[in-house]
Amino acid sequence: MKAAYELRDYQKSLVEFIVDSLKTRGGAAIEAPTGSGKTLTGLVAAITYARDSGKKILYLTRTNSQQEQVIKELRILAPESGLKAVPIQGRHNLCPLYQEIEQGDSFSSDSLSRFCNGRKKKVREGDQNACRFFNSRVNSKENMDKIFSEIPTAEEFLMYGLESEICPYESLKLAASKADIAIAPYAFFLNPDVAERFLSRWGVAREDLVIVLDEAHNLPDLAREVSSFTISINSINLAEKEALEFGDAELQERFRATDFCETLRNGILDLSRDMLKGQDEVRIRFADLVEYSSIGAGIKMDQFWSYAALFHIFGDNITTRKEDMGRIPRSHVLSLASRVLSWKASEEEGYVAILNSENNGTVEAFCLEPTGILQSLRMSRTIHMSGTLEPFQIYKNITGFTEIATRKVSSIFPEENKLVLYYDGISTKYDSFDDREALNMRNQIQDIVRSTGKKALIFFTSYNIMNRIIDIGFDIEYLAETKAKSQGDLMSMLNRFRKENLPMLAVMGGRLSEGINFPGNELQVVVLAGIPYPRPGARQKALYSYYQSVYGKGWEYAVTFPVVIKMRQAIGRLIRSESDTGVAVILDQRATYFKKYIPEMRLSRNPAADASQFFINKSH
Ligand code: SF4
């Protein structure tokens, strides 16, 4: 490969290490600090290995800004290495027709695939109005050349497709069949059906793939999220409404589809009444849902399951009828029936049943063991990149990638440019965080912001705590990330933060704690207002017990590992280059428990004064 880019020495040695590990250990996990060029290093290693072994590359990212970063590097690397790269996303994001006709509603990728196939069939039969975006220009040389020469992001190509009336999804799908490198979101590839369809179109077997996992510390949570599923009162109501619209099929004599909905709804309501007793969530047995539903309706349990199977057939029928009507073939009945039938199998597959009060009552099959869904990824060679993967053994065990090699790149920037302090005069522990502690926290934050006069990002452990502090009131002007803020509002707030010197309040693990870059002086102070312990509750307890029973280390796996990742991700926002300077302050006496993982932190009795002194010293 010609050098259109300059690798630093540690990057060269990392590339060698990764390539060697891909050959001998099936993969590598790399922890390297922000600003160390992880994306470039991962790509060069993947390209080097893939070129020699004839494999293809799949780069998985979590957010749009991470995808942009990869594409930026590929615009330099791909032409140099003669490789073709293409961004991939699902129809949810790239089908303009779906966005036109069903705005705001969400559909499974399966329904969208059926919808699209139906429209394309009509176009092929001569009805061009069925989809004006599906035309001969999709497969034109000009279109393919544009994709491979410009390597647009999926969003850029969507805009182009809208303007020129060319289907972006179909264009990128066709381009992918000729590509050497695909960049896709995790959610797309962790969906087993979508992944299989994509790989078969690409013509690549899993064994012939090198997968780069960007920000890999998110992998356990993403896998759990994709594998878990819920049945809520709201989803039952939607299915009931649809069942009525489509004739309310009689599943058996005097038992209609809406009766099944009522049976299930009453089951959840009765369970909530008997079990929740004022709590947000409790663990139940999988059998509880079926027992409560069946007893309430006066039916036997095996009858419940045969009704569920018939309800599924009715849902299938609705889907076909919707398709015939030209609507998106998604059925609420089918979706509910599938989840009820999956509920039956979940108990044996590493799930726990949780009942919670959300949406008037919801039961959830919560996945404890993410290794199952990640098993298919283990058939490929993998490169795991992140700023926070330690302790590696926990990461390897939780994800099931137990054989891969690991390496940590310690700080590559001058240690003296960063100061990490903790203050032990506050505890955000649930039972001791009273009004006095809240006021104390407000004062500390305000003092730090005022005394340093630098751009500051304040990370809270939850929106609740953030709002509590906001309610006390600040004497300084500030910006705040709220849960309800749209992506557009968030971006304008970020622009304001970049231009003006106002502190910004956000939540750890939220939308601002990773994936957004703050180079140079854009961010010089990070305050961690508390330790981001997972929310206590039935899920967390189940996770703890599970890892305690498997590894004898429930606390390390279920608590310490995610907490350390969130804290280090937040601190990692500060330094991105040789000349950056910054101070992180942790406002919680429990910070001391994490000294082993954040060894550079030191106790401060007056963080505002110490932080300000640090910047004074740096300016001399
Ligand atoms: S061809 Fe493209 S625009 Fe038309 S339905 Fe399919 S994905 Fe949507």
Side-chain angles (χ1 to χ4, degrees):
M1 196 185 299
K2 280 187 269 170
Y5 49 88
E6 202 57 53
L7 286 186
R8 287 173 267 179
D9 284 347
Y10 72 87
Q11 289 174 318
K12 285 183 195 157
S13 119
L14 260 188
V15 168
E16 257 173 52
F17 173 77
I18 297 171
V19 171
D20 189 49
S21 308
L22 286 168
K23 287 180 190 159
T24 56
R25 306 274 298 269
I30 308 296
E31 177 179 302
T34 316
S36 60
K38 285 191 287 289
T39 310
L40 177 68
T41 311
L43 273 172
V44 173
I47 291 173
T48 308
Y49 175 76
R51 199 191 41 198
D52 294 347
S53 58
K55 298 200 187 302
K56 304 273 185 184
I57 299 167
L58 175 67
Y59 201 110
L60 295 181
T61 62
R62 197 171 71 102
T63 62
N64 288 345
S65 61
Q66 284 158 359
Q67 187 207 68
E68 269 169 40
Q69 180 61 30
V70 183
I71 288 188
K72 217 168 101 193
E73 303 286 6
L74 277 171
R75 283 177 184 151
I76 301 168
L77 286 172
E80 280 295 319
S81 48
L83 297 173
K84 290 178 173 159
V86 65
I88 297 296
Q89 286 201 9
R91 288 184 180 88
H92 286 98
N93 298 322
L94 292 179
C95 168
L97 197 63
Y98 150 69
Q99 292 178 2
E100 259 174 31
I101 61 175
E102 297 281 358
Q103 244 175 5
D105 212 341
S106 71
F107 296 90
S108 69
S109 44
D110 229 25
S111 349
L112 284 180
S113 165
R114 279 177 74 163
F115 164 77
C116 173
N117 289 337
R119 295 289 172 136
K120 286 190 296 189
K121 188 166 170 265
K122 282 188 185 158
V123 172
R124 286 191 192 105
E125 287 164 358
D127 176 9
Q128 188 59 55
N129 289 334
C131 178
R132 66 182 190 284
F133 298 96
F134 188 59
N135 50 47
S136 58
R137 282 175 297 147
V138 164
N139 198 15
S140 68
K141 184 174 176 310
E142 193 193 343
N143 199 28
M144 291 298 118
D145 285 351
K146 180 178 174 64
I147 295 170
F148 291 131
S149 62
E150 292 178 16
I151 319 183
T153 64
E155 285 67 34
E156 284 164 355
F157 200 70
L158 171 66
M159 295 316 293
Y160 167 76
L162 282 167
E163 278 161 24
S164 22
E165 292 208 339
I166 301 178
C167 172
Y169 176 82
E170 289 293 320
S171 305
L172 293 175
K173 189 175 98 177
L174 279 166
S177 62
K178 299 170 191 148
D180 306 288
I181 306 173
I183 308 105
Y186 273 104
F188 175 88
F189 202 70
L190 287 180
N191 179 325
D193 297 335
V194 175
E196 282 316 315
R197 275 202 296 268
F198 167 66
L199 287 175
S200 92
R201 274 198 311 266
W202 198 6
V204 180
R206 285 188 183 269
E207 294 74 16
D208 294 328
L209 204 53
V210 184
I211 304 179
V212 186
L213 301 145
D214 197 29
E215 301 291 353
H217 59 274
N218 291 306
L219 200 56
D221 279 348
L222 285 167
R224 274 195 203 103
E225 215 175 281
V226 170
S227 312
S228 303
F229 63 92
T230 60
I231 301 172
S232 68
I233 297 283
N234 286 357
S235 66
I236 297 170
N237 293 346
L238 283 171
E240 188 178 45
K241 200 169 150 219
E242 186 185 77
L244 279 171
E245 186 192 338
F246 284 84
D248 198 8
E250 196 166 43
L251 305 179
Q252 237 174 37
E253 218 186 327
R254 290 198 296 279
F255 197 92
R256 293 188 170 274
T258 49
D259 294 326
F260 186 71
C261 293
E262 198 181 339
T263 299
L264 206 51
R265 183 171 45 231
N266 288 342
I268 295 179
L269 289 174
D270 291 347
L271 265 172
S272 304
R273 184 200 58 219
D274 288 359
M275 308 259 191
L276 279 175
K277 298 196 170 98
Q279 300 169 84
D280 288 341
E281 58 175 37
V282 291
R283 183 168 170 180
I284 55 171
R285 296 176 310 135
F286 277 92
D288 285 335
L289 175 65
V290 189
E291 283 174 16
Y292 266 72
S293 301
S294 309
I295 292 167
I299 56 174
K300 293 195 180 112
M301 296 224 295
D302 48 356
Q303 249 176 321
F304 175 92
W305 290 118
S306 68
Y307 290 152
L310 292 166
F311 193 64
H312 191 275
I313 295 172
F314 179 46
D316 233 352
N317 176 273
I318 293 176
T319 310
T320 313
R321 284 160 67 190
K322 281 194 173 176
E323 195 170 19
D324 292 344
M325 292 156 81
R327 291 167 62 182
I328 292 184
R330 186 239 176 135
S331 160
H332 294 293
V333 169
L334 184 66
S335 153
L336 176 61
S338 308
R339 279 173 284 144
V340 171
L341 292 172
S342 302
W343 186 262
K344 195 177 184 182
S346 297
E347 190 160 17
E348 286 105 56
E349 293 174 359
Y351 285 74
V352 284
I354 304 286
L355 169 70
N356 69 52
S357 56
E358 276 166 32
N359 297 323
N360 305 319
T362 301
V363 288
E364 178 182 13
F366 174 62
C367 171
L368 293 172
E369 182 51 270
T371 54
I373 190 117
L374 296 176
Q375 197 171 351
S376 51
L377 264 63
R378 291 198 293 277
M379 292 162 76
S380 309
R381 311 273 151 162
T382 50
I383 305 173
H384 308 236
M385 306 294 288
S386 169
T388 48
L389 284 181
E390 275 204 313
F392 282 120
Q393 197 51 51
I394 296 187
Y395 174 78
K396 291 191 341 177
N397 286 344
I398 289 184
T399 56
F401 288 91
T402 48
E403 304 299 322
I404 56 174
T406 58
R407 179 170 285 187
K408 176 180 174 164
V409 178
S410 302
S411 179
I412 50 163
F413 304 126
E415 285 291 336
E416 61 276 15
N417 283 0
K418 183 173 74 178
L419 179 67
V420 181
L421 303 170
Y422 75 97
Y423 175 66
D424 65 357
I426 291 181
S427 169
T428 54
K429 210 170 168 188
Y430 187 71
D431 45 9
S432 55
F433 193 69
D434 53 17
D435 290 348
R436 199 180 52 87
E437 288 285 56
L439 183 65
N440 187 5
M441 178 174 280
R442 194 283 311 255
N443 292 342
Q444 287 295 334
I445 293 170
Q446 205 159 264
D447 288 352
I448 293 166
V449 170
R450 274 197 182 128
S451 71
T452 57
K454 305 287 182 192
K455 290 202 172 189
L457 194 46
I458 321 298
F459 283 117
F460 292 88
T461 53
S462 68
Y463 287 103
N464 276 349
I465 298 229
M466 181 168 98
N467 291 335
R468 217 166 138 185
I469 305 293
I470 287 177
D471 285 347
I472 298 174
F474 280 102
D475 300 335
I476 47 174
E477 212 187 326
Y478 62 89
L479 303 165
E481 174 213 5
T482 56
K483 222 176 184 174
K485 256 198 173 83
S486 69
Q487 192 64 15
D489 289 346
L490 195 73
M491 293 325 281
S492 12
M493 184 180 78
L494 267 175
N495 286 338
R496 216 178 141 200
F497 177 72
R498 288 188 162 119
K499 280 192 215 127
E500 301 171 32
N501 192 3
L502 296 176
M504 185 158 65
L505 316 185
V507 167
M508 253 177 281
R511 293 180 289 175
L512 293 177
S513 61
E514 53 183 277
I516 295 174
N517 292 336
F518 297 102
N521 292 344
E522 275 188 15
L523 179 67
Q524 287 190 281
V525 175
V526 164
V527 177
L528 278 70
I531 305 291
Y533 283 108
R535 206 179 106 220
R539 277 195 241 187
Q540 187 54 30
K541 220 166 150 187
L543 215 48
Y544 168 84
S545 310
Y546 179 71
Y547 285 122
Q548 184 65 23
S549 70
V550 179
Y551 299 106
K553 290 180 175 174
W555 188 261
E556 279 93 330
Y557 278 66
V559 180
T560 309
F561 184 63
V563 169
V564 168
I565 284 178
K566 279 189 188 166
M567 289 172 72
R568 293 181 61 216
Q569 280 290 328
I571 296 170
R573 306 283 86 212
L574 277 176
I575 307 287
R576 307 193 53 86
S577 77
E578 198 85 19
S579 55
D580 286 359
T581 53
V583 176
V585 184
I586 307 164
L587 296 176
D588 198 311
Q589 58 184 210
R590 294 171 297 170
T592 180
Y593 303 153
F594 300 94
K595 226 171 172 336
K596 183 174 155 198
Y597 304 103
I598 310 172
E600 68 273 31
M601 76 171 149
R602 63 176 185 79
L603 178 66
S604 168
R605 299 281 176 217
N606 187 345
D610 290 345
S612 143
Q613 190 57 48
F614 169 83
F615 288 114
I616 293 170
N617 295 346
K618 282 283 146 198
S619 65
H620 293 314

